[in-house]
Amino acid sequence: MMKLRLSGLRSGGVCATFRRPISHCYSNSISPSPSSVEVKPKTPLYQRPPSFSASLSKLTQWHKWAKNLASSVGSSFVHLDNGPDSTLLSRELNWLLEDSLELQNRSVIISQLKSGNNENVDVSVALRAPLEQLYRVWKQRIEERRPFQYIVGCEHWRDLVLSVQEGVLIPRPETEMIIDLVEDVALKNSPELAQSFWVDLGTGCGAIAIATARTLATRDHVHGRVIATDLSPVAVAVAAFNVQRYGLQDMVEVRKGSWFEPLKDIRGKLGGVLSNPPYIPSGDIPGLQPEVGQHEPKLALDGGISGANDLLHLIDGAAFMLKPGGFFAFETNGEKQCKFLVDYIENEKPGSFCNINIVSDFAGIQRFVVGFHQ
């Protein structure tokens, strides 16, 4: 389960151009546990008990049907909207199978399925989901373009396996660079920031907050704390669930509310402000791949007419929420937004920030704006 999964939402095409990790906003609740919110986070498939079973012959029938369905796609989605091809879908099918089987006999069962071995066809195979559900979710993947991460209930991000579900945006690989910037820019230049408050605004599943907390914990015996905020109750529940799974309740606090609203008690005390906010222009939303535009939360995608509404709000807030020397890193839609944001800082916030830089992502696209508070 710890392998890196490069699914359709993580590579190439429109999805690779428009990155957003989940929702974004906040109001004044503190540290909700999964049981204290309306939404109950779903357990990822690979962590569910193998409470179901099917005969090897029935599982073989499903596997052949699912492979044929994936093969039928060919390159049609690629030509339509640069979506997944049958090769990628076949890899996803293998991952779905792996997550569905109990670990003890997984390799044997998979080997039999791939070889077409007809021996022991009546043997019972333990599953983490009923066979009818596997039929249903794979049909949704192909016919409805439901994201694979929502089907298996998790996403692999850096060295984390994070729970995700509908209503929470799936974290993208380029967003991982925010943690690199924390390590290589903020803490390298200002090691004392490791003892400060950090915030992840629009945390979604909690990816940035959790990874930041783990980074801070390696820097100092006395380390700082991270506050993750989000307007979406689904995101708040899922983020709190992920924080708990990694045993970081003492370091990461999840608050519900819009952007800086739940942070009034630490105004001017923040050592770092991090965010991957909505930055896709409203007019571009209909053109996104179905996996994104039809399934992921619009709240986490839509950045207004220019795409920069929330980014400007974050800059305005960082100017009075960061302490002197505090660091910020924001993800954007690309070169145009990066330059627009830098111009805004220089012209509208003169004297507020220093060492402003634009940083490119893994693909060489100008993606992040970083800087320090004066």
Side-chain angles (χ1 to χ4, degrees):
M1 271 302 300
M2 293 308 294
K3 61 186 164 302
L4 178 65
R5 292 178 168 175
L6 295 175
S7 73
L9 290 177
R10 304 193 63 165
S11 61
V14 177
C15 296
T17 303
F18 299 119
R19 323 291 194 171
R20 331 258 20 84
I22 320 162
S23 335
H24 42 290
C25 313
Y26 320 61
S27 82
N28 285 336
S29 305
I30 296 181
S31 229
S33 66
S35 60
S36 68
V37 296
E38 307 89 338
V39 182
K40 181 176 175 59
K42 299 176 182 177
T43 302
L45 178 60
Y46 81 98
Q47 289 191 316
R48 299 172 197 169
S51 304
F52 307 92
S53 65
S55 68
L56 181 57
S57 61
K58 292 292 186 183
L59 185 62
T60 301
Q61 289 177 15
W62 168 78
H63 189 243
K64 288 181 178 178
W65 166 84
K67 282 202 305 182
N68 289 336
L69 198 58
S71 297
S72 70
V73 170
S75 58
S76 59
F77 293 165
V78 176
H79 297 315
L80 181 65
D81 52 33
N82 209 16
D85 62 10
S86 57
T87 300
L88 175 57
L89 292 170
S90 294
R91 287 204 299 268
E92 292 182 353
L93 176 60
N94 289 336
W95 294 330
L96 175 59
L97 182 62
E98 290 175 5
D99 284 7
S100 301
L101 296 171
E102 64 174 337
L103 184 61
Q104 183 177 1
N105 298 311
R106 178 188 297 168
S107 59
V108 175
I109 298 299
I110 291 176
S111 178
Q112 288 180 307
L113 289 173
K114 290 183 177 181
S115 67
N117 190 335
N118 292 321
E119 296 180 7
N120 302 317
V121 291
D122 292 328
V123 69
S124 181
V125 179
L127 298 171
R128 302 183 190 278
L131 195 58
E132 55 268 25
Q133 181 178 328
L134 296 183
Y135 273 104
R136 183 172 66 255
V137 297
W138 191 246
K139 188 175 182 180
Q140 291 172 340
R141 177 68 187 110
I142 305 299
E143 297 184 358
E144 301 176 19
R145 304 281 295 275
R146 185 185 179 199
F148 176 75
Q149 291 88 340
Y150 290 162
I151 288 174
V152 295
C154 68
E155 171 64 318
H156 295 237
W157 193 84
R158 287 184 72 90
D159 58 343
L160 306 171
V161 183
L162 298 163
S163 173
V164 294
Q165 66 189 61
E166 273 83 357
V168 174
L169 195 119
I170 300 161
R172 274 33 175 199
E174 68 271 23
T175 305
E176 297 175 5
M177 279 197 66
I178 288 181
I179 310 306
D180 297 331
L181 293 170
V182 171
E183 294 175 331
D184 300 336
V185 178
L187 299 182
K188 186 175 182 179
N189 288 288
S190 303
E192 69 280 1
L193 293 179
Q195 301 178 20
S196 302
F197 282 107
W198 287 70
V199 294
D200 171 19
L201 302 177
T203 192
C205 69
I208 293 174
I210 291 169
T212 299
R214 285 156 65 97
T215 297
L216 297 180
T218 66
R219 291 287 170 153
D220 250 301
H221 190 64
V222 180
H223 52 70
R225 297 184 62 219
V226 181
I227 299 176
T229 71
D230 207 295
L231 182 64
S232 163
V234 180
V236 167
V238 170
F241 178 73
N242 283 322
V243 168
Q244 187 176 54
R245 283 184 58 220
Y246 281 94
L248 292 170
Q249 301 94 314
D250 292 338
M251 279 197 71
V252 182
E253 177 183 355
V254 184
R255 299 185 181 185
K256 182 179 181 294
S258 179
W259 300 122
F260 293 100
E261 286 179 17
L263 305 174
K264 296 174 182 176
D265 57 320
I266 50 174
R267 175 172 175 154
K269 300 177 182 179
L270 299 181
V273 175
L274 311 172
S275 185
N276 179 10
Y279 52 56
I280 300 175
S282 301
D284 291 344
I285 300 294
L288 298 177
Q289 289 175 343
E291 284 89 346
V292 181
Q294 295 178 19
H295 292 278
E296 296 196 73
K298 186 177 180 181
L299 183 67
L301 300 169
D302 194 337
I305 294 177
S306 69
N309 288 4
D310 295 302
L311 284 163
L312 295 178
H313 180 72
L314 291 176
I315 289 295
D316 290 343
F320 61 82
M321 293 297 295
L322 282 170
K323 67 181 184 180
F327 174 77
F328 74 85
F330 301 141
E331 184 173 327
T332 77
N333 197 22
E335 179 179 355
K336 185 177 179 180
Q337 279 189 359
C338 281
K339 292 181 176 178
F340 174 78
L341 208 59
V342 170
D343 288 343
Y344 180 81
I345 292 170
E346 292 176 346
N347 295 320
E348 302 298 328
K349 301 292 176 183
S352 295
F353 301 101
C354 62
N355 299 325
I356 309 300
N357 284 293
I358 294 174
V359 180
S360 297
D361 63 17
F362 302 123
I365 298 171
Q366 293 185 350
R367 181 70 65 188
F368 308 95
V369 175
V370 303
F372 290 85
H373 193 232
Q374 293 272 49

